[in-house]
Amino acid sequence: MKVESFLSAAPHKSVSEDSIVLNEKINVYGVFDGATPLMPFKDENGMNGAYLASNIFKDYFFRLYQSNFSLVEGIMAANRMLREHMEKYKVNQEKYENLWSTCAAIIKIEKDGKISYAQLGDCMIIAEYQNGTIKALTRDTVKDISYRAKAWREEQRKQGIKIPAEEYYQDRTQQLIFNRSLANKENGYTVANGKKEVLNFIQHGQVNISEIKTLLMITDGLFHPNYSIEETFRKIHTIGLQVYSMELEQYEKRNNLRSDDKTGIMIKLI
């Protein structure tokens, strides 16, 4: 088994809000992508809620996760830790925009010849099968969230619920605040944010290790605007995570595109 990993902060950030876990002792690997906060908060070390959320998950799966737990149980335990940290810092958890939150993509190589996986948000897990098929094991639930949010608002207005006119949501901050209110709701998106509802929305499953050649876990910073997720896999598989990340960052710079933290793990099982 060969494990390649990569993590880098976006050019405009001093520290990455992504994190990575490589727990070789119990064969647990994962990437976490903290959601950039909408409200100002810094802890005593100057770290924001996105950094703290993704690193709470990383620390949990590296130090505290027990191999007899399922990945879903692990996510829920890390999610409780996240809630407790917010309580410690007196974060008002009634308002969704205040919540520290993180997306996640985690795999565990089990002793029974299976690979378990679990996912939240827009972190992705892609598998290459022995027969050459490349397939995403997970669905990006953040994709098109603004369209779904708009449809949600229109539906609410039809039911006579008072919601500001669409002009109000042309303000990026107001749009994002509304989007956050759809966390772990039907037609919303999935994310670990300390709330118990996340349990109902974790994508999880198992594949037979004998069928899998390669596994790739990435945060959305590695998505290429011109590639499908399968094409992204092929490119990373060919040139490696680091070279791909550098080429993508240069492409984003040339085209004045927003660049995000870039994190990935590629596991070649043969």
Side-chain angles (χ1 to χ4, degrees):
M1 189 169 94
K2 189 180 169 208
V3 179
E4 180 195 347
S5 63
F6 182 79
L7 183 148
S8 74
H12 62 281
K13 293 185 190 174
S14 56
V15 63
S16 175
E17 292 169 354
D18 288 357
S19 70
I20 194 165
V21 66
L22 304 165
N23 190 339
E24 287 156 355
K25 210 161 52 181
I26 54 171
N27 277 325
V28 170
Y29 302 89
V31 295
F32 308 101
D33 182 355
T36 301
L38 302 178
M39 298 297 149
F41 167 86
K42 294 274 171 75
D43 73 357
E44 59 278 11
N45 300 312
M47 297 304 172
N48 68 15
Y51 174 92
L52 294 166
S54 73
N55 279 276
I56 285 165
F57 266 68
K58 178 193 88 170
D59 291 345
Y60 172 81
F61 278 97
F62 191 72
R63 293 189 304 109
L64 300 170
Y65 180 71
Q66 303 290 314
S67 59
N68 60 325
F69 281 15
S70 70
L71 289 178
V72 170
E73 287 169 327
I75 285 174
M76 292 311 293
N79 193 55
R80 283 193 295 277
M81 276 177 63
L82 179 56
R83 186 175 73 241
E84 286 158 12
H85 272 75
M86 286 189 278
E87 283 166 2
K88 179 183 157 191
Y89 286 99
K90 298 185 167 47
V91 173
N92 176 359
Q93 295 183 54
E94 295 307 306
K95 293 190 169 183
Y96 274 75
E97 64 267 27
N98 291 341
L99 298 174
W100 307 351
S101 56
T102 185
C103 299
I106 320 163
I107 68 116
K108 177 168 68 155
I109 300 169
E110 308 279 6
K111 292 187 172 76
D112 65 357
K114 304 255 191 218
I115 298 169
S116 297
Y117 64 88
Q119 183 267 7
L120 290 166
D122 55 10
C123 292
M124 290 295 283
I125 306 170
I126 308 118
E128 178 192 22
Y129 287 77
Q130 293 289 358
N131 65 6
T133 304
I134 294 161
K135 182 183 159 195
L137 299 179
T138 52
R139 187 173 60 84
D140 175 358
T141 65
V142 178
K143 191 178 180 185
D144 299 330
I145 184 61
S146 293
Y147 293 106
R148 294 199 301 279
K150 189 179 177 188
W152 179 295
R153 289 192 294 268
E154 282 168 7
E155 194 54 46
Q156 299 280 289
R157 288 189 195 103
K158 278 181 197 164
Q159 291 173 27
I161 296 162
K162 277 203 160 66
I163 288 181
E166 278 310 304
E167 288 74 30
Y168 179 75
Y169 297 103
Q170 281 168 11
D171 176 272
R172 180 84 177 134
T173 303
Q174 295 309 325
Q175 189 184 109
L176 290 171
I177 287 172
F178 188 88
N179 289 358
R180 295 279 164 102
S181 75
L182 300 180
N184 303 317
K185 290 180 181 169
E186 290 298 337
N187 299 315
Y189 70 103
T190 62
V191 74
N193 59 5
K195 299 274 189 189
K196 291 174 185 163
E197 294 81 18
V198 68
L199 176 62
N200 305 318
F201 294 93
I202 300 166
Q203 292 180 58
H204 60 96
Q206 286 190 325
V207 288
N208 292 319
I209 196 165
S210 59
E211 293 174 22
I212 304 295
K213 210 189 245 184
T214 314
L215 278 171
L216 177 67
M217 286 157 275
I218 56 173
T219 61
D220 69 328
L222 288 176
F223 294 177
H224 193 293
N226 301 336
Y227 297 165
S228 69
I229 205 77
E230 293 79 13
E231 287 168 326
T232 298
F233 176 96
R234 285 192 187 93
K235 193 79 174 165
I236 291 171
H237 192 271
T238 305
I239 63 178
L241 280 160
Q242 188 168 353
V243 173
Y244 172 85
S245 298
M246 286 160 59
E247 286 186 1
L248 176 56
E249 197 171 290
Q250 285 160 6
Y251 175 87
E252 289 164 339
K253 199 174 175 181
R254 281 196 309 274
N255 292 278
N256 294 314
L257 299 172
R258 179 181 166 273
S259 193
D260 200 358
D261 304 325
K262 292 172 169 46
T263 306
I265 303 171
M266 185 161 56
I267 301 173
K268 293 181 178 174
L269 293 159
I270 53 161

